[in-house]
mmCIF file of all heavy atoms in Angstrom:
data_model
loop_
_atom_site.group_PDB
_atom_site.id
_atom_site.type_symbol
_atom_site.label_atom_id
_atom_site.label_comp_id
_atom_site.label_asym_id
_atom_site.label_seq_id
_atom_site.Cartn_x
_atom_site.Cartn_y
_atom_site.Cartn_z
ATOM 1 N N GLN A 720 10.785 49.541 99.110
ATOM 2 C CA GLN A 720 11.515 48.301 99.295
ATOM 3 C C GLN A 720 11.803 47.619 97.953
ATOM 4 O O GLN A 720 12.881 47.079 97.735
ATOM 5 C CB GLN A 720 10.698 47.365 100.203
ATOM 6 C CG GLN A 720 11.360 46.031 100.492
ATOM 7 C CD GLN A 720 12.629 46.163 101.306
ATOM 8 O OE1 GLN A 720 12.827 47.177 102.006
ATOM 9 N NE2 GLN A 720 13.506 45.179 101.209
ATOM 10 N N TRP A 721 10.832 47.658 97.031
ATOM 11 C CA TRP A 721 11.015 47.016 95.701
ATOM 12 C C TRP A 721 12.113 47.724 94.917
ATOM 13 O O TRP A 721 12.954 47.076 94.285
ATOM 14 C CB TRP A 721 9.691 47.057 94.954
ATOM 15 C CG TRP A 721 9.731 46.303 93.672
ATOM 16 C CD1 TRP A 721 9.501 45.000 93.477
ATOM 17 C CD2 TRP A 721 10.045 46.855 92.400
ATOM 18 N NE1 TRP A 721 9.637 44.660 92.156
ATOM 19 C CE2 TRP A 721 9.986 45.792 91.469
ATOM 20 C CE3 TRP A 721 10.370 48.133 91.953
ATOM 21 C CZ2 TRP A 721 10.246 45.977 90.121
ATOM 22 C CZ3 TRP A 721 10.624 48.303 90.610
ATOM 23 C CH2 TRP A 721 10.561 47.228 89.699
ATOM 24 N N ARG A 722 12.150 49.083 94.937
ATOM 25 C CA ARG A 722 13.177 49.834 94.227
ATOM 26 C C ARG A 722 14.562 49.588 94.845
ATOM 27 O O ARG A 722 15.568 49.529 94.137
ATOM 28 C CB ARG A 722 12.843 51.331 94.231
ATOM 29 C CG ARG A 722 11.671 51.693 93.332
ATOM 30 C CD ARG A 722 11.611 53.195 93.112
ATOM 31 N NE ARG A 722 11.367 53.910 94.366
ATOM 32 C CZ ARG A 722 10.149 54.205 94.817
ATOM 33 N NH1 ARG A 722 9.066 53.850 94.122
ATOM 34 N NH2 ARG A 722 10.014 54.872 95.957
ATOM 35 N N LYS A 723 14.585 49.415 96.194
ATOM 36 C CA LYS A 723 15.856 49.147 96.847
ATOM 37 C C LYS A 723 16.433 47.795 96.404
ATOM 38 O O LYS A 723 17.619 47.665 96.088
ATOM 39 C CB LYS A 723 15.655 49.190 98.363
ATOM 40 C CG LYS A 723 16.925 48.928 99.159
ATOM 41 C CD LYS A 723 16.646 48.996 100.643
ATOM 42 C CE LYS A 723 17.926 48.695 101.442
ATOM 43 N NZ LYS A 723 17.677 48.724 102.913
ATOM 44 N N GLU A 724 15.580 46.757 96.354
ATOM 45 C CA GLU A 724 16.031 45.437 95.919
ATOM 46 C C GLU A 724 16.424 45.449 94.435
ATOM 47 O O GLU A 724 17.379 44.778 94.034
ATOM 48 C CB GLU A 724 14.943 44.402 96.175
ATOM 49 C CG GLU A 724 14.667 44.189 97.647
ATOM 50 C CD GLU A 724 13.549 43.189 97.857
ATOM 51 O OE1 GLU A 724 12.970 42.722 96.831
ATOM 52 O OE2 GLU A 724 13.235 42.871 99.010
ATOM 53 N N ALA A 725 15.697 46.227 93.654
ATOM 54 C CA ALA A 725 16.047 46.318 92.237
ATOM 55 C C ALA A 725 17.390 46.983 92.045
ATOM 56 O O ALA A 725 18.196 46.585 91.183
ATOM 57 C CB ALA A 725 14.957 47.084 91.484
ATOM 58 N N LYS A 726 17.714 47.996 92.861
ATOM 59 C CA LYS A 726 19.020 48.667 92.781
ATOM 60 C C LYS A 726 20.131 47.719 93.208
ATOM 61 O O LYS A 726 21.216 47.683 92.611
ATOM 62 C CB LYS A 726 18.996 49.933 93.630
ATOM 63 C CG LYS A 726 20.276 50.780 93.523
ATOM 64 C CD LYS A 726 20.158 52.035 94.344
ATOM 65 C CE LYS A 726 21.404 52.903 94.161
ATOM 66 N NZ LYS A 726 22.654 52.187 94.474
ATOM 67 N N GLN A 727 19.902 46.915 94.276
ATOM 68 C CA GLN A 727 20.906 45.947 94.691
ATOM 69 C C GLN A 727 21.187 44.924 93.579
ATOM 70 O O GLN A 727 22.328 44.568 93.315
ATOM 71 C CB GLN A 727 20.445 45.239 95.965
ATOM 72 C CG GLN A 727 20.383 46.140 97.192
ATOM 73 C CD GLN A 727 19.845 45.410 98.401
ATOM 74 O OE1 GLN A 727 19.506 44.225 98.313
ATOM 75 N NE2 GLN A 727 19.744 46.118 99.512
ATOM 76 N N MET A 728 20.114 44.477 92.919
ATOM 77 C CA MET A 728 20.277 43.537 91.809
ATOM 78 C C MET A 728 21.078 44.178 90.681
ATOM 79 O O MET A 728 21.963 43.562 90.084
ATOM 80 C CB MET A 728 18.904 43.090 91.307
ATOM 81 C CG MET A 728 18.949 42.219 90.057
ATOM 82 S SD MET A 728 19.727 40.627 90.340
ATOM 83 C CE MET A 728 18.483 39.869 91.369
ATOM 84 N N HIS A 729 20.800 45.433 90.354
ATOM 85 C CA HIS A 729 21.515 46.122 89.295
ATOM 86 C C HIS A 729 22.991 46.292 89.629
ATOM 87 O O HIS A 729 23.871 46.051 88.789
ATOM 88 C CB HIS A 729 20.853 47.482 89.049
ATOM 89 C CG HIS A 729 21.583 48.336 88.062
ATOM 90 N ND1 HIS A 729 22.549 49.249 88.443
ATOM 91 C CD2 HIS A 729 21.493 48.414 86.701
ATOM 92 C CE1 HIS A 729 23.038 49.844 87.373
ATOM 93 N NE2 HIS A 729 22.388 49.362 86.287
ATOM 94 N N ASP A 730 23.283 46.692 90.865
ATOM 95 C CA ASP A 730 24.669 46.885 91.253
ATOM 96 C C ASP A 730 25.446 45.575 91.216
ATOM 97 O O ASP A 730 26.624 45.540 90.827
ATOM 98 C CB ASP A 730 24.746 47.501 92.657
ATOM 99 C CG ASP A 730 24.153 48.904 92.687
ATOM 100 O OD1 ASP A 730 24.045 49.517 91.588
ATOM 101 O OD2 ASP A 730 23.783 49.375 93.780
#
Side-chain angles (χ1 to χ4, degrees):
Q720 181 66 22
W721 186 87
R722 288 194 297 270
K723 180 180 179 181
E724 294 178 357
K726 185 178 183 304
Q727 293 177 359
M728 174 66 70
H729 175 268
D730 295 340

